[in-house]
């Protein structure tokens, strides 16, 4: 059992997780195309990418990201879903780093309200479950492991992105570890290792 735990923790620390820094990667979407559909998309996209790797103070980065969110929420025309989801995820990570969990909670509530009120816009509803994964971090930090576990199980039932799925699986395994449900922890850890081994080497840079 110790070997499994050690192996899992090594994987958890080395792979993409909610506390890991993101690796820089090349643009993998057609920015020009999206900019033609949604004016200002390119500028917002590049600003968000810069915020990921910025050395500025976290509070300054948060202010920039929240300004982008406000612009997207108040603009007319095509819904800027790619930038919106990425900015939300990034700003929640920043708040997580400085320990402002209450702001994450209120931000997620406002975001979900906005999304449901704009249901006619072309965004993928399954992306909302990524927000729920962020919500699970709040529960985990507050040592409400049962609640975090339930949220993550729901995430895994809807997540299709392999990296996000693996990250949620790792988070769930840690919940089981904290709950001292070792059989479930070992099962999740083995599944996580198996999925990671099956992924191409460049999967974590996408």
């Amino acid at each position: 059992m110790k070997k499994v735990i050690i192996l899992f923790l090594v994987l958890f620390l080395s792979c993409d997780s909610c506390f890991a820094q993101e690796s820089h990667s090349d643009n993998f979407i057609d920015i020009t195309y999206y900019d033609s559909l949604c004016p200002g998309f390119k500028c917002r996209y590049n600003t968000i990418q810069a915020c990921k790797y910025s050395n500025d103070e976290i509070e300054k980065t948060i202010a920039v990201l929240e300004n982008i969110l406000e612009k997207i929420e108040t603009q007319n025309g095509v819904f800027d879903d790619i930038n919106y989801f990425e900015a939300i995820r990034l700003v929640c990570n920043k708040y997580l780093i400085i320990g402002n969990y209450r702001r994450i909670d209120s931000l997620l509530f406002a975001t979900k309200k906005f999304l449901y009120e704009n249901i006619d816009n072309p965004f993928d509803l399954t992306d909302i479950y990524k927000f729920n994964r962020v919500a699970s971090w709040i529960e985990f930090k507050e040592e409400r492991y049962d609640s975090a576990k339930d949220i993550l199980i729901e995430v895994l039932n809807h997540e299709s992105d392999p990296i996000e799925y693996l990250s949620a699986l790792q988070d769930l395994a840690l919940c089981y570890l904290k709950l001292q449900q070792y059989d479930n922890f070992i099962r999740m850890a083995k599944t996580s290792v198996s999925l990671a081994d099956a992924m191409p080497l460049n999967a974590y840079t996408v």
Side-chain angles (χ1 to χ4, degrees):
M1 178 176 172
K2 289 183 179 179
K3 290 182 179 179
V4 174
I5 293 176
I6 292 172
L7 179 61
F8 175 76
L9 291 178
V10 169
L11 175 68
F12 180 77
L13 293 173
S14 63
C15 293
D16 173 54
S17 68
C18 58
F19 301 106
Q21 294 295 318
E22 298 188 49
S23 300
H24 184 71
S25 60
D26 296 331
N27 296 336
F28 57 94
I29 63 171
D30 188 342
I31 296 177
T32 303
Y33 172 72
Y34 278 94
D35 198 52
S36 68
L37 295 176
C38 187
F41 176 92
K42 181 177 181 180
C43 179
R44 289 187 290 274
Y45 180 86
N46 288 335
T47 300
I48 291 170
Q49 297 306 306
C51 284
K52 283 185 180 180
Y53 316 105
S54 173
N55 293 321
D56 292 339
E57 294 181 358
I58 290 181
E59 287 80 4
K60 181 179 179 180
T61 302
I62 287 173
V64 171
L65 291 167
E66 291 200 334
N67 180 257
I68 289 176
L69 291 172
E70 183 179 0
K71 286 182 178 179
I72 293 174
E73 290 175 354
T74 56
Q75 75 177 8
N76 296 318
V78 177
F79 184 65
D80 196 351
D81 59 335
I82 294 175
N83 283 333
Y84 191 77
F85 287 122
E86 188 68 1
I88 283 290
R89 189 176 68 83
L90 187 56
V91 77
C92 284
N93 270 306
K94 298 298 182 182
Y95 276 124
L96 187 69
I97 291 171
I98 63 177
N100 192 343
Y101 311 128
R102 179 170 294 182
R103 179 57 184 149
I104 297 175
D105 200 31
S106 62
L107 186 65
L108 291 178
F109 177 81
T111 299
K112 289 181 181 181
K113 182 175 182 292
F114 171 73
L115 290 174
Y116 283 118
E117 288 176 351
N118 291 270
I119 194 69
D120 291 333
N121 287 309
F123 68 90
D124 187 353
L125 278 174
T126 60
D127 283 336
I128 291 178
Y129 289 97
K130 291 184 175 61
F131 300 163
N132 285 342
R133 182 169 167 243
V134 176
S136 76
W137 304 342
I138 303 173
E139 300 300 288
F140 193 93
K141 278 286 188 178
E142 296 297 322
E143 299 183 0
R144 296 191 289 263
Y145 304 122
D146 268 317
S147 178
K149 177 199 70 176
D150 292 341
I151 292 172
L152 288 165
I153 289 173
E154 185 71 10
V155 171
L156 290 170
N157 286 335
H158 293 84
E159 185 58 67
S160 58
D161 181 272
I163 298 298
E164 293 288 345
Y165 188 91
L166 178 60
S167 297
L169 194 66
Q170 293 167 348
D171 293 349
L172 179 59
L174 287 181
C175 287
Y176 282 130
L177 185 62
K178 289 292 187 178
L179 291 167
Q180 298 183 1
Q181 297 180 18
Y182 299 118
D183 288 343
N184 286 330
F185 166 73
I186 292 173
R187 181 166 54 86
M188 293 296 106
K190 287 182 176 179
T191 303
S192 177
V193 170
S194 177
L195 288 176
D197 286 344
M199 285 184 179
L201 293 177
N202 64 347
Y204 299 107
T205 63
V206 175

